[in-house]
Amino acid sequence: MENLCKNYVIAIDGEAGTGKSTLAKNIAQKYGIVYMDTGAMYRCVTLDMLNNNVSIDDVDGISKILDNINIEMTNENGEDKFYLNSCDVTKKIREKQVNDMVSQVSHVPVVRQRMVELQRKLAKGKNIVMEGRDIGTNVFPNADVKIYLVASAEERAKRRFLQNKEKGIDIPFDEIYKNVVFRDNNDKNSNVAPLKKAEDAYEIDTTNYTLEEVENLVVSKIKEKIEL
Ligand code: DC
């Protein structure tokens, strides 16, 4: 018998620090949808490479990492946790060493291919809000709703600085700003799944909006397409 209960995918893409994570998390929590932070998956691969002294051009080493990697995402008492090969790496994947390398790692074709496979597999049979860079263009080109967020580089660096502070991570503002600009360039000028808006995505510039305003706007856009 045909399954009439179709699951939906909400794709939220955009530059680093546009508020994608908070937005996706809030929507997931409010409407009982599964939340997936795909950036954290690339961060886990990066951390695994760092832990095993595997460099960005060590093709065999990277393949070995990918063959053995186990990434788990859980929500414990409202807090999203990430486990890499059974170790809690929630905090570690946000640290400087990972920040500095993750963009390059995310552009290694084999890494991308394996993460996209995993993202599709993890989403199967679920209503999901998936946040990343290429969800609407590459992972789920037929996503039910596509949102694309942008904001000025300065505003995004400010947001990440405050986020880090809350988490007890101490990185100077200038360093974060440089990292934001560096990653934007890397993400947009990559040959492998460059960051770009899907043609049918709804774009919002969040620079002058509060998180709440963005959320209200996004929820109203989602509700035009699906029943939450
Ligand atoms: O969202 P974030 O800052 O945690 O993402 C970390 C890095 O991973 C960032 O440089 C972009 C990359 N990324 C990607 O290439 N594709 C995704 N779907 C998600 C993140």
Side-chain angles (χ1 to χ4, degrees):
M1 199 171 132
E2 192 190 352
N3 182 5
L4 295 174
C5 176
K6 184 187 167 291
N7 293 110
Y8 57 78
V9 174
I10 301 167
I12 302 186
D13 289 303
E15 300 161 331
T18 43
K20 293 187 305 275
S21 304
T22 315
L23 173 71
K25 253 185 252 179
N26 285 353
I27 291 174
Q29 217 165 33
K30 268 192 198 154
Y31 297 97
I33 314 167
V34 175
Y35 163 63
M36 196 182 292
D37 173 356
T38 59
M41 296 167 79
Y42 290 98
R43 287 172 179 273
C44 284
V45 176
T46 307
L47 181 62
D48 211 2
M49 285 170 63
L50 285 165
N51 287 344
N52 290 287
N53 289 319
V54 172
S55 69
I56 197 78
D57 34 43
D58 178 356
V59 181
D60 289 342
I62 294 177
S63 291
K64 220 165 155 188
I65 292 274
L66 291 169
D67 286 343
N68 295 302
I69 202 164
N70 181 32
I71 300 172
E72 284 167 276
M73 288 166 266
T74 63
N75 188 286
E76 296 167 21
N77 306 318
E79 194 195 344
D80 290 299
K81 294 253 185 189
F82 297 92
Y83 290 86
L84 168 62
N85 304 328
S86 304
C87 275
D88 182 352
V89 293
T90 312
K91 207 169 162 188
K92 268 225 139 16
I93 57 169
R94 309 285 164 194
E95 288 180 358
K96 181 174 161 33
Q97 266 191 308
V98 174
N99 282 350
D100 289 348
M101 192 172 155
V102 64
S103 181
Q104 279 174 289
V105 172
S106 74
H107 292 131
V108 175
V110 67
V111 171
R112 225 157 178 108
Q113 186 199 327
R114 296 292 273 278
M115 288 304 108
V116 171
E117 271 169 24
L118 187 58
Q119 285 151 18
R120 289 181 182 147
K121 193 170 138 199
L122 291 171
K124 249 198 181 133
K126 299 183 184 102
N127 290 329
I128 194 154
V129 51
M130 191 178 280
E131 170 243 314
R133 300 292 194 288
D134 62 337
I135 312 305
T137 51
N138 183 35
V139 184
F140 286 107
N142 296 321
D144 300 80
V145 186
K146 297 182 188 178
I147 306 289
Y148 189 78
L149 301 183
V150 296
S152 74
E154 191 165 5
E155 175 64 24
R156 289 183 286 128
K158 203 168 90 190
R159 290 176 188 168
R160 189 135 288 187
F161 176 77
L162 294 173
Q163 244 173 29
N164 281 347
K165 222 171 159 186
E166 256 175 42
K167 290 179 188 155
I169 301 167
D170 188 23
I171 307 176
F173 175 82
D174 284 358
E175 210 170 289
I176 294 179
Y177 179 79
K178 275 189 212 145
N179 185 263
V180 163
V181 174
F182 170 76
R183 284 209 284 150
D184 275 359
N185 283 335
N186 250 347
D187 291 347
K188 285 178 185 164
N189 299 317
S190 161
N191 293 327
V192 187
L195 170 67
K196 69 171 199 280
K197 175 185 166 296
E199 265 178 32
D200 52 347
Y202 179 69
E203 179 172 330
I204 304 172
D205 182 342
T206 72
T207 308
N208 299 310
Y209 285 141
T210 64
L211 217 60
E212 201 184 347
E213 285 168 330
V214 176
E215 191 178 315
N216 290 338
L217 198 56
V218 169
V219 167
S220 74
K221 282 288 152 195
I222 294 173
K223 284 181 174 170
E224 281 175 15
K225 304 255 177 149
I226 53 179
E227 200 176 320
L228 281 175

